[in-house]
Amino acid sequence: MTGSECQATQAAALEVEAALEAYETHVRRLVHSWLDMDLYRHVSAEIDEIRAFCMLLPELSIPWVALLVSHAELVHCLWRSDQPGQRVTQRDLQSRLEDHVQCIRRLAESSRRLADPRS
């Protein structure tokens, strides 16, 4: 990899990491204020931004897809929690959020390794 390619990879990896930090804050808030559609749109835009950065880094494809699936599962759980006749407990939501946070952290760690020129 050339020096400029290495710098581009490092920059994109740092962007992923920063975007994930903001995304985690907002997704936690979304779980506690479901149906805040402005926040939902913001979180959705953040996922799109993370996707765009990850597209530049094929090494992140597996943790990125895991995050995307986890995001969809969390949103579906939130949606179900608001539907009549659905039984979604606070424990279910918390468990789904914890799983999702683990996906966020795995992707962040993978990004950190790419951003470190010594790795």
Side-chain angles (χ1 to χ4, degrees):
M1 190 180 314
T2 68
S4 61
E5 289 172 331
C6 187
Q7 288 176 336
T9 295
Q10 290 171 348
L14 290 172
E15 292 290 347
V16 170
E17 194 173 351
L20 285 167
E21 186 176 328
Y23 169 76
E24 181 179 344
T25 298
H26 296 133
V27 84
R28 285 179 181 277
R29 193 178 315 152
L30 183 65
V31 167
H32 297 291
S33 62
W34 179 238
L35 293 181
D36 178 340
M37 288 298 106
D38 289 335
L39 182 55
Y40 174 75
R41 280 189 289 279
H42 186 76
V43 166
S44 294
E46 286 175 322
I47 274 289
D48 290 340
E49 178 184 37
I50 293 165
R51 178 192 53 80
F53 290 129
C54 286
M55 297 273 299
L56 302 171
L57 303 164
E59 302 91 337
L60 298 181
S61 60
I62 292 172
W64 155 247
V65 169
L67 177 74
L68 184 60
V69 169
S70 179
H71 171 84
E73 289 173 344
L74 177 62
V75 170
H76 182 70
C77 188
L78 287 166
W79 175 81
R80 282 187 19 239
S81 73
D82 193 49
Q83 300 304 304
Q86 293 291 319
R87 292 194 176 167
V88 177
T89 66
Q90 193 61 35
R91 185 175 174 179
D92 294 335
L93 282 172
Q94 190 60 38
S95 176
R96 180 63 52 212
L97 176 60
E98 288 171 12
D99 291 347
H100 190 56
V101 167
Q102 288 306 309
C103 287
I104 293 168
R105 294 195 177 148
R106 278 191 293 274
L107 181 53
E109 178 57 33
S110 295
S111 297
R112 229 179 328 280
R113 282 194 304 271
L114 281 176
D116 186 350
R118 297 167 292 189
S119 54

